[in-house]
Amino acid sequence: MNISRRQILILLPAAAVAWKSVLAGTPEASPNYKMTDHWWSMLIDIPKCIGCGNCVRACQTENDVPDGFFRTWVERYHVTDYHMENPEVISPDGGKEGFPVAVADEGKYFFVPKMCNHCTDSPCTQVCPVGATFTGPDGVVLIDPKYCLGCAYCVQACPYGCRYIHPEKKVADKCTLCYHRITKGLTTACCEACPTGARQLIDLKNPKDPIHEFLKTHDVQVLKPQMATGAKAFYNGLDGSVR
Amino acid sequence: MSVFKDAGHLFRFAGLFVLAFILFLVIRHFVVPKSFGQYGHYRAASIGEIAAHQVKYAGHETCETCHAEVFDVKKDGKHAHVNCEACHGALAKHADDPGAMTPTKPDTAVICARCHTASAAKPKGFPQVVPADHSTGLPCETCHQPHNPGMDAAAPKAPVKAAGGAK
């Protein structure tokens, strides 16, 4: 078969367009969803969290998380003046049923919801020996349960302690940022159930997302920035004692 | 050809190598899933499989399509931004087929107390009460309409002992 220079010049852009649509992709369950249009993440507004545990319960219901394991959990910090470096942290059953009543004293209390940070440079995906966990084209770190061996390297690698080995499936499991919901245009179960708006699903690629204005006007941090994980769970009003 | 005179064993070895490589490619073709490597070093089809999971929380937009009257009550109150399923629980089954599953009315003694029980750990501006002092054991909905809990929204049906009061 002979292809002239003219034909090559015509075919190349067409091939480029075709390849681009392959790269963009659409999860089969959500035909109108285009992965490359999104860069998902979460905003956690500490001053709004009341420690009700709604997010933990909603997550367990939505994702069939087994008892005693958590894709998201809430910690309560108690920091006193002399122990900034050593806060007292409790999280009874992940905060699922709320927290014991705190009595005002010289220290300060606050709640810190925790979850997968959906890191841009996730340590967990880098250590996977079989390519069972990955950062998708839309910024969500996912696990392929059919490929996972259950070796738990990723469980050790995650600096945020967000992964666990599922006791029945024997594979790694963690927050999917409710991938089955966000691809259908819904918010995550934890955001849906949060009564105060302390958790908000954000899309950094959506120019209309209010997160851009929020990040400009608030003091927002990520957890363990020194680990250079590219964490995307943004915490507003985070105390320095939080690890 | 004198260069290759005594090189027969090398060619046989190279042939073996080529055969092994072809065998490797054939096995790889059948063992590696089709979508592996489409976006990166993983099985792209797993993204679709995860996206196909069942939704259990219907989302407040879905609730609003049938229960618009509740949203009218809620919209001016303090609970305007508390989504339905924050208190009523996951109800996608009910949304799919209202007859198949009817939600039970939440117990205000549990639901309200979960958020509004006074604790030094909660943000200062958040309305909190000591339930035992505040309501003298009466259910919350005696005075507060949960969808619009302000006191002007619903007149108290029964007198509440003033002692204790909102803290």
Side-chain angles (χ1 to χ4, degrees):
Chain A
M1 184 175 144
N2 284 322
I3 300 176
S4 68
R5 184 183 298 188
R6 168 187 283 268
Q7 282 165 321
I8 284 273
L9 286 174
I10 293 168
L11 281 174
L12 269 182
V17 169
W19 180 241
K20 213 172 169 224
S21 75
V22 166
L23 285 183
T26 48
E28 57 212 40
S30 331
N32 297 322
Y33 178 77
K34 203 166 158 213
M35 285 194 273
T36 45
D37 283 353
H38 304 277
W39 196 250
W40 296 108
S41 176
M42 182 78 80
L43 172 69
I44 296 171
D45 205 345
I46 302 270
K48 283 187 179 174
C49 183
I50 57 170
C52 64
N54 260 15
C55 50
V56 185
R57 286 191 303 279
C59 178
Q60 296 215 307
T61 308
E62 181 74 30
N63 298 299
D64 295 318
V65 180
D67 273 340
F69 296 86
F70 304 93
R71 288 186 179 195
T72 185
W73 67 99
V74 182
E75 294 171 357
R76 189 178 83 185
Y77 276 67
H78 182 211
V79 188
T80 50
D81 299 354
Y82 297 103
H83 297 96
M84 278 301 272
E85 287 289 310
N86 298 296
E88 183 202 348
V89 186
I90 61 164
S91 185
D93 202 12
K96 190 162 57 165
E97 297 303 330
F99 289 83
V101 168
V103 184
D105 58 10
E106 74 279 7
K108 64 174 171 185
Y109 290 94
F110 53 90
F111 298 104
V112 183
K114 296 246 178 116
M115 59 179 287
C116 171
N117 289 250
H118 293 279
C119 307
T120 310
D121 305 307
S122 354
C124 58
T125 63
Q126 289 169 36
V127 299
C128 181
V130 296
T133 183
F134 53 89
T135 308
D138 41 13
V140 182
V141 178
L142 295 171
I143 297 167
D144 178 356
K146 290 187 183 160
Y147 241 58
C148 179
L149 303 167
C151 71
Y153 278 5
C154 57
V155 178
Q156 293 186 47
C158 175
Y160 307 103
C162 297
R163 288 173 169 248
Y164 58 90
I165 297 293
H166 194 288
E168 283 138 36
K169 298 178 191 161
K170 308 287 183 202
V171 294
D173 202 27
K174 68 163 199 72
C175 164
T176 62
L177 208 61
C178 280
Y179 198 70
H180 58 299
R181 297 177 61 86
I182 61 176
T183 50
K184 296 181 181 82
L186 295 163
T187 187
T188 65
C190 56
C191 292
E192 184 67 35
C194 178
T196 62
R199 308 174 73 117
Q200 276 161 47
L201 177 72
I202 55 178
D203 181 0
L204 294 169
K205 269 196 191 170
N206 178 3
K208 288 181 191 147
D209 196 307
I211 183 61
H212 303 296
E213 184 60 28
F214 192 94
L215 290 177
K216 252 189 247 173
T217 51
H218 291 75
D219 296 330
V220 177
Q221 297 183 60
V222 295
L223 294 177
K224 301 190 186 180
Q226 74 276 16
M227 308 280 295
T229 56
K232 286 198 270 100
F234 298 112
Y235 285 83
N236 180 43
L238 188 74
D239 190 83
S241 60
V242 177
R243 297 284 178 265
Chain B
M1 285 305 285
S2 61
V3 190
F4 299 117
K5 203 175 66 180
D6 292 323
H9 64 292
L10 289 179
F11 285 120
R12 282 192 292 277
F13 195 62
L16 203 65
F17 237 87
V18 169
L19 271 180
F21 187 65
I22 291 170
L23 188 70
F24 166 75
L25 287 181
V26 169
I27 293 173
R28 193 178 181 281
H29 174 77
F30 288 107
V31 170
V32 176
K34 291 283 163 289
S35 65
F36 199 94
Q38 191 180 341
Y39 305 128
H41 188 70
Y42 56 91
R43 199 170 59 93
S46 69
I47 298 178
E49 288 166 23
I50 295 165
H53 286 181
Q54 188 89 36
V55 167
K56 291 180 183 155
Y57 278 76
H60 58 281
E61 292 95 346
T62 311
C63 307
E64 195 171 357
T65 55
C66 294
H67 300 284
E69 80 286 357
V70 179
F71 281 78
D72 284 341
V73 177
K74 272 178 70 183
K75 71 176 191 292
D76 301 320
K78 288 257 191 185
H79 283 172
H81 299 292
V82 180
N83 293 331
C84 311
E85 288 160 309
C87 301
H88 292 278
L91 287 170
K93 265 189 198 154
H94 171 73
D96 286 343
D97 179 8
M101 182 224 184
T102 323
T104 49
K105 200 177 162 197
D107 181 1
T108 52
V110 177
I111 293 283
C112 304
R114 209 172 253 162
C115 293
H116 293 289
T117 299
S119 171
K122 286 181 184 171
K124 293 286 169 291
F126 187 76
Q128 306 163 46
V129 298
V130 178
D133 299 345
H134 178 72
S135 72
T136 62
L138 284 170
C140 310
E141 73 262 39
T142 313
C143 301
H144 303 280
Q145 213 299 350
H147 289 143
N148 187 347
M151 290 299 284
D152 48 340
K157 289 174 202 158
V160 175
K161 214 171 93 186
K167 292 216 170 126

